């Protein structure tokens, strides 16, 4: 869970690189026993970042993701995004030479990503499987090597957690899981003093990506759109109506994850539309 009550496993300075190990569906033996409902993917942490204070933002850079040579996926009744019900099913895949060997003649290119990344909220102890203003189980496949995630700091030291690595995942994670893998992720953090955020923002491949969460996709999409609208209005000084027109013509709205108790939606806009990068470090 994402909690401010946990003792830090590590304290780091700003800019200092550190590595967190991550578990997967194959950790603990539940998958091999067919007990898929008991499979859980916890987060590792927390990491205390010296100098981070409530009211700041935390810029988390993903330097490296190392994954194991085996991954797993599951489906469960009543879960997933399909109209047709799915049965309990588990599938183990081998990973080598940059591909996931999904089936005979079906090789999926590996693109490692971090499914869960977040900080401790000031109130409550949300499950590691949920998503919210603190980050969490965003399942945004843009959170890959070279990307950064900007998170609102709510407690001293931020208390950062990460985990849930995927060898590959499509937008939506529609069957319930990506290609879930054990591994390790190397990160570094910098504090953006006084930068106020409602929710996480992802920076990847020359794009600014706002992340929305909600009880359904509509609510999540509105949150992500409102956040992007606010960034453009603050940057350009335009009225909301003009900024909304820019988003309608140039931004992409996509589903990150629609299979967990709270949905996550992303809105992506190229950095070139901003006069100043909104989260430069």
């Amino acid at each position: 869970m994402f909690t401010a009550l946990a003792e830090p496993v590590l304290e780091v300075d700003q800019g200092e690189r550190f590595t967190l190990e991550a578990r997967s569906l194959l950790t603990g033996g539940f998958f091999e026993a067919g007990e898929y409902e008991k499979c859980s993917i916890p987060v590792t942490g927390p990491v205390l970042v010296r100098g981070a204070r409530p009211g700041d933002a935390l810029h988390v850079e993903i330097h490296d993701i190392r994954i194991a040579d085996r991954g797993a996926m599951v489906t469960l009744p009543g879960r997933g995004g399909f109209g047709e019900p799915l049965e309990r099913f588990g599938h183990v895949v081998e990973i080598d030479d940059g591909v996931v060997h999904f089936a005979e003649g079906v090789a999926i290119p590996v693109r490692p990503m971090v499914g869960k990344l977040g900080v401790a909220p000031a109130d409550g102890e949300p499950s590691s499987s949920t998503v919210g203003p603190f980050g969490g189980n965003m399942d945004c496949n843009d959170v890959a090597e070279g990307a950064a995630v900007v998170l609102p700091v709510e407690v001293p030291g931020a208390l950062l957690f990460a985990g849930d690595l995927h060898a590959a995942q499509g937008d939506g994670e529609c069957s319930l899981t990506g290609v879930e893998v054990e591994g390790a992720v190397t990160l570094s953090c910098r504090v953006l003093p006084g930068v106020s955020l409602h929710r996480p923002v992802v920076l990847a491949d020359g794009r600014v990506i706002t992340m929305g969460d909600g009880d359904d996709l509509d609510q999540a999409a509105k949150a992500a759109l409102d956040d992007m609208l606010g960034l453009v209005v603050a940057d350009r000084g335009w009225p909301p109506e003009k900024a909304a027109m820019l988003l309608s013509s140039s931004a992409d709205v996509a589903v990150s994850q629609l299979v967990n108790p709270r949905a996550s939606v992303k809105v992506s806009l190229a950095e070139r539309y901003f006069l100043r990068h909104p989260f430069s470090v």
Side-chain angles (χ1 to χ4, degrees):
M1 62 181 61
F2 294 87
T3 174
L5 301 179
E7 287 295 321
V9 298
L10 186 66
E11 295 189 14
V12 299
D13 292 319
Q14 294 182 48
E16 179 182 353
R17 294 193 182 196
F18 59 94
T19 299
L20 300 178
E21 296 181 348
R23 302 175 183 178
S24 81
L25 292 177
L26 295 174
T27 304
F30 294 111
F31 187 93
E32 284 81 359
E35 300 175 337
Y36 304 144
E37 288 83 0
K38 295 183 180 180
C39 293
S40 65
I41 304 174
V43 286
T44 302
V47 175
L48 185 149
V49 182
R50 298 185 183 99
R53 296 178 176 83
D56 296 337
L58 189 70
H59 181 282
V60 184
E61 188 170 353
I62 296 95
H63 297 286
D64 181 58
I65 303 173
R66 299 189 298 279
I67 60 173
D69 58 4
R70 296 172 72 240
M73 305 183 74
V74 300
T75 57
L76 292 172
R79 302 293 300 275
F82 298 93
E84 290 293 321
L86 302 175
E87 300 298 324
R88 294 176 75 259
F89 187 75
H91 185 47
V92 174
V93 296
E94 303 298 323
I95 304 168
D96 63 34
D97 294 329
V99 298
V100 175
H101 297 282
F102 185 80
E104 182 68 30
V106 180
I108 302 170
V110 165
R111 187 171 186 265
M113 56 162 283
V114 183
K116 299 178 181 178
L117 185 72
V119 293
D123 298 307
E125 298 178 282
S127 162
S128 65
S129 294
T130 195
V131 62
F134 56 91
N137 193 20
M138 296 180 288
D139 282 320
C140 174
N141 59 17
D142 301 285
V143 183
E145 289 182 9
V149 180
V150 187
L151 298 159
V153 176
E154 297 190 22
V155 300
L159 299 182
L160 177 71
F161 298 80
D164 188 28
L165 305 183
H166 300 169
Q169 182 211 293
D171 281 339
E173 200 184 28
C174 58
S175 76
L176 180 61
T177 65
V179 180
E180 311 284 340
V181 287
E182 294 181 333
V185 57
T186 300
L187 309 168
S188 68
C189 300
R190 291 196 180 276
V191 175
L192 304 180
V195 174
S196 179
L197 283 180
H198 297 296
R199 280 166 288 269
V201 175
V202 177
L203 309 173
D205 300 324
R207 294 170 296 136
V208 176
I209 305 166
T210 52
M211 299 297 307
D213 64 276
D215 294 331
D216 55 35
L217 289 175
D218 283 348
Q219 189 179 80
K222 288 176 180 177
L225 282 165
D226 286 349
D227 285 356
M228 185 63 80
L229 187 73
L231 291 178
V232 173
V233 167
D235 176 71
R236 289 280 180 175
W238 290 344
E241 293 77 13
K242 185 172 181 178
M245 292 175 183
L246 174 68
L247 300 187
S248 191
S249 63
S250 305
D252 293 318
V253 181
V255 176
S256 283
Q257 164 277 121
L258 49 67
V259 295
N260 293 319
R262 289 183 66 79
S264 51
V265 168
K266 58 187 179 182
V267 174
S268 175
L269 184 66
E271 291 178 359
R272 67 178 180 272
Y273 291 109
F274 292 90
L275 295 174
R276 298 163 298 278
H277 194 293
F279 301 103
S280 58
V281 295

